[in-house]
Amino acid sequence: MGFVGDTVDSIKSLQIRQVLTQAVSLGMIVTSALIIWKALMCITGSESPVVVVLSGSMEPGFKRGDILFLHMSKDPIRAGEIVVFNIDGREIPIVHRVIKVHERGDTGEVDVLTKGDNNYGDDRLLYAHGQLWLQRHHIMGRAVGFLPYVGWVTIIMTEKPIIKYILIGALGLLVITSKE
């Protein structure tokens, strides 16, 4: 019958108990991942404790595909720190260096100006229309560590979704055929 026919036969031969066991195992894996993510959020104080560098704007310090670990504390943000921030109206966070810090005299709040190390000018063109500074609520966290190149898996699966579906299908077949 061939590979496809054998795979269909193996799916048909699965008993309900095996299917339920696999479903519960998958549920436990997903739940464990979510618990770990939430724990990291609490420990780091960042809404996204791990991010992938998606562009070359921070080269040579960080390259596309590096994974950054973030932490957000109450300490004031200083010039020279690398921060990850969100811009109003944009979904994808940006990783850049703080080049200026401006303290408002009336409120004591701190505003920051950022720039990519590999970019010519500051980030004011990236900010929302009319925005000249980032406020604290824009900042997701400070970079405290990184793993080089590990984020390429995420980039490839985002840019080439067919690879993601092939991997999911291959893993599914592997699980099904391993139960025989």
Side-chain angles (χ1 to χ4, degrees), residues 5-157:
D6 291 342
T7 304
V8 170
D9 288 342
S10 68
I11 292 171
K12 288 179 183 176
S13 69
L14 286 176
Q15 296 177 356
I16 294 293
R17 178 175 276 175
Q18 288 175 316
V19 172
L20 288 175
T21 301
Q22 288 179 354
V24 168
S25 295
L26 179 63
M28 290 176 67
I29 290 168
V30 170
T31 303
S32 297
L34 289 173
I35 290 171
I36 290 169
W37 186 259
K38 287 293 186 181
L40 282 173
M41 286 174 67
C42 291
I43 292 168
T44 64
S46 174
E47 64 187 74
S48 184
V50 178
V51 295
V52 176
V53 177
L54 298 175
S55 75
S57 67
M58 284 301 290
E59 289 183 359
F62 297 118
K63 294 179 178 27
R64 188 169 192 241
D66 290 352
I67 288 184
L68 298 181
F69 301 100
L70 306 182
H71 186 267
M72 191 62 186
S73 66
K74 300 288 184 198
D75 296 335
I77 296 169
R78 304 275 182 226
E81 288 186 306
I82 295 169
V83 295
V84 177
F85 58 91
N86 276 323
I87 299 295
D88 298 332
R90 288 185 157 191
E91 291 182 25
I92 299 174
I94 299 171
V95 178
H96 281 174
R97 187 179 305 276
V98 175
I99 59 170
K100 277 188 185 172
V101 177
H102 172 72
E103 185 173 344
R104 293 188 218 163
D106 54 344
T107 62
E109 292 180 29
V110 175
D111 298 335
V112 298
L113 178 63
T114 55
K115 176 188 175 298
D117 289 355
N118 201 22
N119 293 351
Y120 179 72
D122 64 40
D123 289 343
R124 287 188 170 142
L125 292 175
L126 296 175
Y127 300 165
H129 182 69
Q131 182 179 359
L132 299 177
W133 301 87
L134 293 175
Q135 286 79 42
R136 186 154 187 106
H137 71 272
H138 292 111
I139 309 240
M140 296 172 58
R142 299 173 167 103
V144 293
F146 78 104
L147 276 174
Y149 309 113
V150 179
W152 270 105
V153 174
T154 302
I155 292 172
I156 289 169
M157 287 198 290

